[in-house]
Amino acid sequence: MQHIIRAEGLIKTYGGVAARRRVLDGVSVDLGRGEFIAVMGPSGSGKTTLLFALSGMDRPDGGRIEFDGQDLSSLGERALADLRRKRMGFVFQQPSMLKHLNILDNVILAALHDRRGQAARLSAKARSLMEGAGIAELAERDVSQVSGGQLQRAGICRALMNDPLVVFGDEPTGALNSSAAEGVLEMLRKIHAGGTAIALVSHDARVAARAERVLFMRDGAFVAEERLGTFAGTGLEGRVDAVTAHMRALGI
Amino acid sequence: MYYRIIKDDVLKSKGVTLATLLFIVAAAALVASGAALAAQLFGAVDALMEAARTPHFMQMHAGELDRASLERFASLNELVEDYSAGEFLNISGARFSLGSKTLADSVQDNGLWTQKAGMDLLLSLDGEMIRPVDGELYVPLAYLKDGTAALGDEASVAGRRFRVAGFLRDSQMNSPLASSKRFLVSEGDFEALRADGSVEYLISFRLKDPAALGAFEAAYAESGLPANGPTLSYPLFRLINAVSDGLLAALLTLSGALTVCISLLCVRFTLLAKIEEDYREIGVMKAIGLRLATIKRIYLAKYAAMAALGGAAGWGLSLAFRRPLLAGLKQSMGEGAGAGLGPALSALGASLVALSIVCYVSLALGRFRRLSAAEALRFGAPADARAGANRPRLSRSRVLGVNTLLGIKDVWARKRLYAVMAIVMAAATFMAVVPTSLYSTMASPGFSAYMGVGECDLRLGVQQAEDIPARAAAIAEALRADPAVLSSVALTTKALWTTDPSGARIRLKVELGDHRSFPVLYSDGVPPTGPGEIALSAMNAADLRKATGDAMVIYDGSSYRKLRVSGVYGDLTNGGKTAKASFEAPEAEAMWAAAYAKLRDPSRAAEAAERYATAFPYAKASDIGEFVRQTFSATLDSVKTAAYASVAVALAVAALISYLFMRMLIAKDRRPVAIVKALGFSEADLSAQFAVRSILVLAVGVSVGVLAADTLGESLAGAAITSFGAAAFRFTGDPLVTYLAIPAGLVLSSALASYVGARGAGRAAFVDHLKE
């Protein structure tokens, strides 16, 4: 399998000399082109830190990350920003929208950065994505006028505007009720089906069970892996049981 | 606990805390010094005038004096307590030499005086009445202050040798604004020099009841007693004595008030940034049941400590600077009754400054009341009230880049927040532009037009002389025959009569002649052209309640004339109360005359002035540039210093407030900043967005500031100038400075400070804010 991300021996420590804490302790992980992985673990296990390191938002203290053949440590702040904008998409736990832009402007925000004067074309693409997400009628609304689930779906549309190689999700359903969460997860499944790689971190076995591969993390290191195969929309309960059993066995 | 909280907070923000503390110290020091000076001044002016027994009414008179009628008037008028008619021996400045210097270039009327017992006393610097002996010359304090004379100097007046035996306080003529200066000599020396000068009488009255001054003035005018010269009164002497130090006290207090405002802004921005940062902690404190007052005290503690420290340090500074600050005043007027109150009043001023800081912080912390513990814990600080999410739209943009659009949108959405910054920039611009424009206007050659002197190169004044019209005619003839003179005119001021709105008969000083050649500045209307017209100075127009086009009646010594007011002009000379007409009034008594000339080569004005001073020793010849410089040199110097200081302060304020504002903005915006960074916006993009916001706010602030300076500032400066009698004041400053250099300087200093403040905004661990 061709890899988009290849990370080896990642180390990240936080805190001063007196209270030094190793959050990533020699983590290695790969993400194949079009692959869907989920990282699970208890609070403080280093899941989010790993996600931010893989996406170039945070620099590890040790180890090496390659993204599509490029060594991230060799890239400057500007090049990393370009990479995030053009090749990656992000979905956060809280709907992270700029409050003084309406939904449509939020969706096209990053895409417009490199395409000055192409607002009309980008708006058309955004409306098409929002239609697919079932939120087309919300385009002109203020951020404060829509629900959390709708905002999260708008966030996914924003993540897809630049046709990324990979979408990163940090607990994307963490702040949603179960029906809103289902809608978001279904969107992610379709994105993956379209050939985009996905890397999620989550506490929730029902979220992780959509992934092809689930990595279990504790104290800054992977302790196990579950290969579930591609999720085609059916047989979810069995996959959830498998993930839950693994978690129980690991005491997570 | 409070000590630890204060210490931690101060250590975390050392620079900002120090800057804020310095502003509080400066504000307290300025207000305390202003209060001390005011206390000293008002006591001292009264004490000096009491000790000197300053006349309540004084009439200057050149010419013959009928002492018998004067005696009769004084004995019959029951308002009069005492009177005197002293002789002021006016001697050309060139004939005074003090040490190595002469008074040849002085625009003051310098003369000799002898001490009179009973009233109008000239006092030593110890406040004692001076009794000079032969050979002793007591010199006006002004000449000590400007370095012209020193104690023990060899001096000579019209060839007679003297020794500078001391300096004198003159309760009438101490101020540089008074146009005459009295040197005190013995009776013997005075008589020996009598033939070398011209005598002018100072007819002085002390009244039993100073409140009856108005009635006395009317009685004197009606009596037909000598009146060939200006009239002055006690309130005017008091004003002239108080004006320069009073202005300084007002300036100190105003600067103090301004500095208090700056301190409050510093406090506001740092406090708001701190609250933003601590929002969750505040939520926790509320959630665990700490009372609002307790939480407020935690935040108030630091500012109360800073206010107390700053106030005390400011008061201490004002005490340390008390001696040099009050030295000039003490020298001019001595110790006043209010002097003892100085330290107490200055302590009160400094306490008020400290108290205003504490009250302001307490008020600002009132927002804790509205803070919901649950929301603070779940969501952190709330977003600002935003509006206009639909304008302008990114999705409809054709031209602008996304960073520019985001910058514009943010300013549009948070207008109230940015308005504070725009107001600060407008105030800083106003503060820098008004004194600068005032200075360049006052320093410009055209400024003489405000002073009641038409724009010319040479002015020749004939005052206190016999047969003024004939002497003026001789000068006019010489000017006409002089090939170096391009054009000239001679004007004679005569005392005519009119009635004021209450119907009382009053004397009007009317300058007669052709007023079209060297017009002064008219706020309304035009110079008088025909015999049926008269123009009034702004002060006279106000007193007589006349405007352009109104009719008024004048008595010219032989007949009544019905005249039309052709215009109103500015005049700073002769107390600001004059009139101009072009008819002849041969019966009226001439008070003084002046000739004005424009030269073919204006650069040779000084040389021409010297030539005419030699040819006409009775005339005061001045190169007009020198005339303006000397009359206004002290004021001009003060305004120049104030202008430079204002520009420096404005630049510093713009930089500091911009820095603090940017820090507050970054604290407020850490989550949106984290979002756009995560989406792939680089630090350069963020800098561009902050730059757009800054440029917008700066552009609006600086434009409003320049506009306000050009309108409101011009009116304020005009009000100050017109209070001395000028009219229709217009800034004629250098547009390059006003519209380019100052705004550019402010924008640069603010932009630099914003850049420093915003540096590292995106470098903050933005991943932490995404986790919130």
Side-chain angles (χ1 to χ4, degrees):
Chain A
M1 181 187 271
Q2 204 182 355
H3 290 108
I4 298 174
I5 295 174
R6 189 182 282 257
E8 279 172 26
L10 299 184
I11 292 169
K12 180 77 185 175
T13 41
Y14 285 127
V17 181
R20 222 163 173 73
R21 198 163 66 86
R22 193 169 266 210
V23 184
L24 294 182
D25 191 7
V27 176
S28 297
V29 63
D30 296 336
L31 177 68
R33 199 168 283 274
E35 192 186 7
F36 186 167
I37 64 166
V39 180
M40 292 198 77
S43 290
S45 59
K47 310 182 293 293
T48 301
T49 305
L50 174 66
L51 192 78
F52 287 155
L54 295 180
S55 58
M57 278 201 255
D58 204 0
R59 291 188 191 268
D61 301 327
R64 176 187 164 86
I65 304 168
E66 266 185 25
F67 185 92
D68 203 20
Q70 260 187 312
D71 179 2
L72 291 191
S73 66
S74 69
L75 299 180
E77 185 272 337
R78 200 169 186 145
L80 273 177
D82 287 347
L83 194 68
R84 278 202 300 278
R85 197 172 63 248
K86 294 174 180 172
R87 315 285 292 278
M88 303 175 188
F90 295 89
V91 184
F92 305 101
Q93 180 175 5
Q94 296 289 345
S96 298
M97 296 278 172
L98 298 188
K99 290 173 183 165
H100 58 287
L101 301 184
N102 66 16
I103 303 287
L104 179 64
D105 282 357
N106 261 296
V107 172
I108 66 169
L109 177 63
L112 191 62
H113 185 284
D114 305 300
R115 300 179 183 86
R116 181 187 286 210
Q118 297 181 38
R121 194 177 65 77
L122 292 172
S123 297
K125 180 174 180 180
R127 284 180 192 281
S128 152
L129 285 167
M130 289 169 79
E131 196 167 339
I135 53 169
E137 73 284 2
L138 306 181
E140 308 293 335
R141 296 256 185 100
D142 272 7
V143 170
S144 57
Q145 293 171 329
V146 298
S147 72
Q150 289 167 325
L151 270 186
Q152 201 61 305
R153 280 189 267 168
I156 296 172
C157 295
R158 178 178 65 187
L160 298 176
M161 278 298 292
N162 277 334
D163 302 317
L165 284 176
V166 57
V167 170
F168 294 96
D170 181 13
E171 304 272 13
T173 59
L176 303 179
N177 61 33
S178 57
S179 71
E182 273 309 316
V184 167
L185 291 171
E186 182 54 21
M187 268 188 87
L188 290 174
R189 190 189 67 76
K190 285 180 180 166
I191 292 163
H192 175 233
T196 305
I198 294 177
L200 290 185
V201 301
S202 181
H203 281 103
D204 189 345
R206 293 187 70 80
V207 174
R210 263 91 170 168
E212 291 169 298
R213 199 152 55 100
V214 182
L215 299 157
F216 296 94
M217 216 173 166
R218 193 166 55 197
D219 299 332
F222 288 129
V223 288
E225 181 178 320
E226 174 79 41
R227 289 181 179 274
L228 298 169
T230 306
F231 175 56
T234 54
L236 180 65
E237 293 310 319
R239 297 166 74 97
V240 172
D241 289 345
V243 173
T244 312
H246 226 122
M247 287 169 71
R248 210 169 284 136
L250 292 166
I252 295 172
Chain B
M1 178 181 80
Y2 291 131
Y3 173 72
R4 214 187 62 241
I5 291 170
I6 294 170
K7 194 177 131 197
D8 286 352
D9 197 13
V10 168
L11 286 178
K12 255 181 81 181
S13 53
K14 288 189 277 287
V16 170
T17 305
L18 186 68
T20 310
L21 184 64
L22 285 179
F23 271 104
I24 298 173
V25 172
L30 286 166
V31 172
S33 300
L37 187 58
Q40 177 84 23
L41 175 67
F42 291 110
V45 171
D46 289 335
L48 170 68
M49 293 180 73
E50 199 46 54
R53 297 188 48 79
T54 307
H56 294 120
F57 175 86
M58 193 186 75
Q59 172 69 57
M60 296 171 89
H61 173 72
E64 289 300 312
L65 179 70
D66 179 358
R67 285 190 182 268
S69 348
L70 194 62
E71 176 77 52
R72 203 166 38 249
F73 170 79
S75 59
L76 290 177
N77 191 309
E78 58 189 21
L79 295 171
V80 175
E81 181 190 76
D82 195 4
Y83 93 102
S84 81
E87 290 174 319
F88 177 64
L89 185 64
N90 199 316
I91 295 177
S92 161
R95 307 189 74 189
F96 278 84
S97 81
L98 302 163
S100 58
K101 296 178 178 146
T102 78
L103 300 181
D105 293 331
S106 169
V107 295
Q108 293 278 347
D109 290 325
N110 296 292
L112 303 182
W113 182 259
T114 54
Q115 192 73 278
K116 310 281 176 293
M119 64 188 291
D120 193 14
L121 307 176
L122 301 187
L123 305 175
S124 71
L125 299 190
D126 301 322
E128 301 298 324
M129 181 176 157
I130 305 169
R131 295 174 199 280
V133 296
D134 288 350
E136 280 186 346
L137 181 71
Y138 284 84
V139 178
L141 185 59
Y143 293 125
L144 171 67
K145 286 188 172 178
D146 69 8
T148 305
L151 192 65
D153 274 354
E154 291 291 324
S156 91
V157 181
R160 192 175 179 84
R161 298 173 74 83
F162 287 93
R163 184 180 62 83
V164 176
F167 293 91
L168 60 87
R169 288 185 191 141
D170 185 337
S171 68
Q172 292 184 27
M173 302 177 187
N174 249 1
S175 165
L177 292 173
S179 61
S180 303
K181 292 287 168 277
R182 293 191 280 191
F183 289 74
L184 194 63
V185 293
S186 68
E187 296 277 355
D189 285 331
F190 187 92
E191 289 306 326
L193 287 166
R194 181 179 282 277
D196 291 289
S198 58
V199 166
E200 184 179 13
Y201 293 96
L202 306 188
I203 306 165
S204 308
F205 293 88
R206 288 274 298 181
L207 306 181
K208 288 174 189 153
D209 176 13
L213 181 63
F216 178 79
E217 276 183 302
Y220 187 88
E222 281 293 330
S223 69
L225 281 166
N228 187 12
T231 308
L232 302 158
S233 61
Y234 197 89
L236 187 69
F237 294 136
R238 196 167 187 278
L239 178 71
I240 287 179
N241 278 324
V243 79
S244 55
D245 288 297
L247 276 177
L248 183 60
L251 198 67
L252 284 172
T253 314
L254 270 178
S255 312
L258 190 71
T259 318
V260 169
C261 293
I262 296 166
S263 312
L264 293 183
L265 274 172
C266 293
V267 167
R268 179 182 176 80
F269 290 153
T270 38
L271 185 64
L272 290 187
K274 178 81 183 140
I275 293 175
E276 290 285 335
E277 279 168 18
D278 293 356
Y279 212 80
R280 277 172 202 276
E281 283 85 338
I282 298 164
V284 171
M285 287 191 265
K286 271 194 117 173
I288 62 174
L290 285 188
R291 288 174 55 193
L292 194 67
T294 312
I295 305 173
K296 272 175 77 172
R297 264 206 299 278
I298 292 172
Y299 283 84
L300 194 59
K302 174 185 162 188
Y303 292 98
M306 280 169 74
L309 187 66
W315 183 59
L317 266 183
S318 80
L319 289 182
F321 283 108
R322 192 178 141 79
R323 198 179 288 273
L325 178 73
L326 301 181
L329 177 65
K330 273 190 179 164
Q331 200 178 41
S332 307
M333 298 184 211
E335 197 80 57
L341 284 175
L345 268 181
S346 58
L348 183 70
S351 308
L352 279 177
V353 170
L355 200 65
S356 68
I357 304 279
V358 174
C359 288
Y360 181 78
V361 173
S362 182
L363 272 175
L365 291 175
R367 66 184 58 219
F368 284 171
R369 198 180 299 281
R370 299 192 299 272
L371 182 149
S372 145
E375 281 183 13
L377 287 170
R378 283 179 64 200
F379 307 117
D384 298 302
R386 289 162 194 261
N390 289 321
R391 263 184 307 167
R393 293 232 183 125
L394 267 58
S395 50
R396 292 184 188 162
S397 155
R398 298 280 176 275
V399 185
L400 297 175
V402 69
N403 290 326
T404 311
L405 280 165
L406 283 178
I408 295 171
K409 282 216 66 130
D410 193 66
V411 174
W412 181 254
R414 296 191 286 182
K415 289 187 268 301
R416 276 186 62 186
L417 179 73
Y418 287 102
V420 177
M421 192 58 214
I423 289 168
V424 170
M425 286 312 297
T429 310
F430 186 87
M431 202 162 90
V433 168
V434 172
T436 315
S437 296
L438 182 63
Y439 171 66
S440 43
T441 305
M442 287 179 77
S444 72
F447 189 67
S448 64
Y450 287 105
M451 299 170 60
V453 179
E455 205 174 331
C456 60
D457 302 318
L458 188 65
R459 179 184 187 276
L460 292 135
V462 183
Q463 228 166 343
Q464 297 137 358
E466 299 293 320
D467 199 7
I468 289 170
R471 292 183 169 195
I475 293 174
E477 190 51 46
L479 285 169
R480 266 195 297 277
D482 188 344
V485 172
L486 194 64
S487 58
S488 65
V489 71
L491 304 168
T492 304
T493 298
K494 295 192 170 182
L496 310 184
W497 296 87
T498 188
T499 48
D500 70 9
S502 68
R505 190 162 177 252
I506 60 160
R507 212 162 47 133
L508 192 63
K509 289 170 240 169
V510 187
E511 193 175 31
L512 301 172
D514 181 356
H515 296 285
R516 289 166 301 181
S517 333
F518 298 98
V520 295
L521 212 72
Y522 280 76
S523 59
D524 190 33
V526 291
T529 48
E533 289 186 331
I534 187 166
L536 296 174
S537 71
M539 275 182 155
N540 260 337
D543 284 359
L544 300 172
R545 295 193 205 138
K546 296 286 180 198
T548 305
D550 287 354
M552 64 184 286
V553 176
I554 296 282
Y555 179 68
D556 70 4
S558 61
S559 60
Y560 287 92
R561 288 168 178 268
K562 188 170 180 193
L563 304 170
R564 182 186 154 273
V565 177
S566 67
V568 176
Y569 59 91
D571 193 353
L572 303 187
T573 61
N574 304 306
K577 291 187 179 181
T578 57
K580 293 178 193 292
S582 57
F583 54 79
E584 290 191 3
E587 299 298 320
E589 190 183 1
M591 300 172 81
W592 62 79
Y596 302 96
K598 224 175 188 39
L599 303 176
R600 288 186 198 284
D601 180 2
S603 67
R604 305 184 74 169
E607 187 191 307
E610 210 174 311
R611 197 154 41 85
Y612 277 88
T614 316
F616 300 97
Y618 53 81
K620 190 156 196 76
S622 330
D623 138 23
I624 205 73
E626 188 60 28
F627 176 70
V628 172
R629 259 194 301 283
Q630 283 200 26
T631 314
F632 269 86
S633 66
T635 315
L636 208 55
D637 281 350
S638 312
V639 174
K640 186 181 181 179
T641 311
Y644 286 156
S646 304
V647 171
V649 170
L651 288 175
V653 167
L656 177 73
I657 301 292
S658 300
Y659 173 82
L660 293 177
F661 182 75
M662 197 47 83
R663 300 305 306 167
M664 181 201 67
L665 212 54
I666 284 163
K668 266 182 169 310
D669 286 358
R670 58 197 195 279
R671 187 166 167 81
V673 162
I675 293 171
V676 292
K677 274 212 83 177
L679 294 179
F681 283 76
S682 64
E683 286 195 21
D685 292 318
L686 285 169
S687 299
Q689 290 169 25
F690 277 105
V692 170
R693 300 183 200 182
S694 298
I695 288 166
L696 275 178
V697 175
L698 286 176
V700 171
V702 170
S703 307
V704 169
V706 169
L707 200 69
D710 259 10
T711 51
L712 181 69
E714 194 177 67
S715 308
L716 279 177
I721 298 283
T722 48
S723 67
F724 294 108
F729 181 79
R730 284 270 167 279
F731 276 152
T732 51
D734 184 351
L736 274 181
V737 173
T738 311
Y739 301 111
L740 198 69
I742 290 178
L746 285 167
V747 167
L748 196 69
S749 97
S750 169
L752 266 176
S754 301
Y755 172 76
V756 174
R759 211 173 40 179
R763 265 204 302 279
F766 67 95
V767 290
D768 294 343
H769 302 309
L770 289 173
K771 287 180 193 170
E772 281 178 1

